[in-house]
Amino acid sequence: GQQVMQIPQYQHVQEGEDFTTYCNSSTTLSNIQWYKQRPGGHPVFLIQLVKSGEVKKQKRLTFQFGEAKKNSSLHITATQTTDVGTYFCAGNKKAAVNKLTFGGGTRVLVKP
Amino acid sequence: GAVVSQHPSRVICKSGTSVKIECRSLDFQATTMFWYRQFPKQSLMLMATSNEGSKATYEQGVEKDKFLINHASLTLSTLTVTSAHPEDSSFYICSARYRDNSPLHFGNGTRLTVT
């Protein structure tokens, strides 16, 4: 079945530094979505990418969808303590648009 | 924005009893609702997909007789954990969307503890 992998599993970042988390699918995706889950909370939708090679920005967050629509990345600049949480990517497989498969998540800890 | 309400947020029950969890989309009609289970520090595991007026589609390995799902209307889905056992203790989260490929809106989750 479809697998969505995220690396790294854990990311310890010094406040103010940048980092990138990566998402890779074993199959081509129709779209990819990113969610953030704060400790003790529920996942909250951040963004959806649909087009091959698409890049979207939300303030300090930059999301990219690969040309082959099998991978994606999230880059955060000037990390802040509010960025703490787990970032999940989730993909819709082309042949199964009703089913969203979540990656394992990247748990981000910020050192002040 | 789209709001999904999940109730209860926490429940403690005795082994052998059943627990019902409700998931409501408050300001939109959800064509599809999803039920997930999440273990500590792990990802979301899809349990079943629920469409209004039809039987839920369960993922492989999820017992449909144990986790009963009812999607009675476009704004309400329920998950009943029947004859709960300690190994059913977990964080259960529902999500809803109004059409295919649209983003998921999650409820706050229900932390179930079975003693």
Side-chain angles (χ1 to χ4, degrees):
Chain A
Q2 180 190 12
Q3 289 189 334
V4 177
M5 310 293 290
Q6 278 186 258
I7 53 172
Q9 187 176 357
Y10 293 94
Q11 181 79 56
H12 294 128
V13 192
Q14 190 72 45
E15 190 173 13
E17 290 185 344
D18 305 349
F19 76 91
T20 303
T21 175
Y22 300 90
C23 176
N24 296 292
S25 170
S26 58
T27 58
T28 303
L29 302 170
S30 63
N31 67 73
I32 197 149
Q33 299 171 14
W34 285 86
Y35 294 80
K36 178 183 178 181
Q37 185 176 21
R38 291 182 185 274
H42 62 277
V44 174
F45 172 75
L46 293 177
I47 209 158
Q48 177 171 280
L49 304 170
V50 179
K51 299 177 183 177
S52 170
E54 188 172 13
V55 177
K56 286 188 176 179
K57 289 190 176 184
Q58 284 182 353
K59 296 183 180 178
R60 295 178 295 102
L61 278 59
T62 301
F63 303 84
Q64 187 169 9
F65 200 8
E67 294 290 341
K69 301 184 76 172
K70 294 180 73 173
N71 55 67
S72 180
S73 65
L74 161 58
H75 181 77
I76 299 182
T77 59
T79 304
Q80 299 176 0
T81 54
T82 53
D83 295 324
V84 166
T86 301
Y87 294 83
F88 292 101
C89 66
N92 268 317
K93 188 177 169 183
K94 271 194 171 181
V97 292
N98 199 38
K99 184 172 177 177
L100 198 63
T101 302
F102 279 80
T106 293
R107 284 151 190 83
V108 175
L109 298 173
V110 179
K111 294 178 281 187
Chain B
V3 177
V4 174
S5 173
Q6 187 172 339
H7 179 80
S9 57
R10 289 180 182 274
V11 58
I12 301 172
C13 70
K14 291 186 176 179
S15 189
T17 60
S18 295
V19 174
K20 180 184 279 190
I21 303 170
E22 289 190 350
C23 180
R24 293 180 184 272
S25 56
L26 298 185
D27 52 359
F28 68 101
Q29 291 187 326
T31 57
T32 308
M33 288 187 172
F34 302 88
W35 288 95
Y36 292 86
R37 184 172 179 176
Q38 187 176 36
F39 292 101
K41 298 183 179 180
Q42 292 192 24
S43 186
L44 298 152
M45 183 190 80
L46 180 64
M47 299 175 66
T49 301
S50 168
N51 292 293
E52 184 263 341
S54 61
K55 289 184 178 181
T57 303
Y58 289 82
E59 294 300 302
Q60 192 173 7
V62 178
E63 299 176 59
K64 60 180 182 181
D65 294 330
K66 181 166 185 63
F67 298 99
L68 299 178
I69 291 172
N70 183 275
H71 197 149
S73 73
L74 283 171
T75 59
L76 174 63
S77 177
T78 60
L79 167 68
T80 302
V81 183
T82 62
S83 187
H85 290 286
E87 57 265 30
D88 298 325
S89 299
S90 190
F91 190 53
Y92 294 87
I93 316 178
C94 71
S95 68
R97 66 184 185 195
Y98 57 88
R99 59 177 170 81
D100 285 351
N101 284 331
S102 67
L104 297 180
H105 301 282
F106 285 85
N108 287 333
T110 297
R111 189 159 303 281
L112 170 64
T113 303
V114 184
T115 61

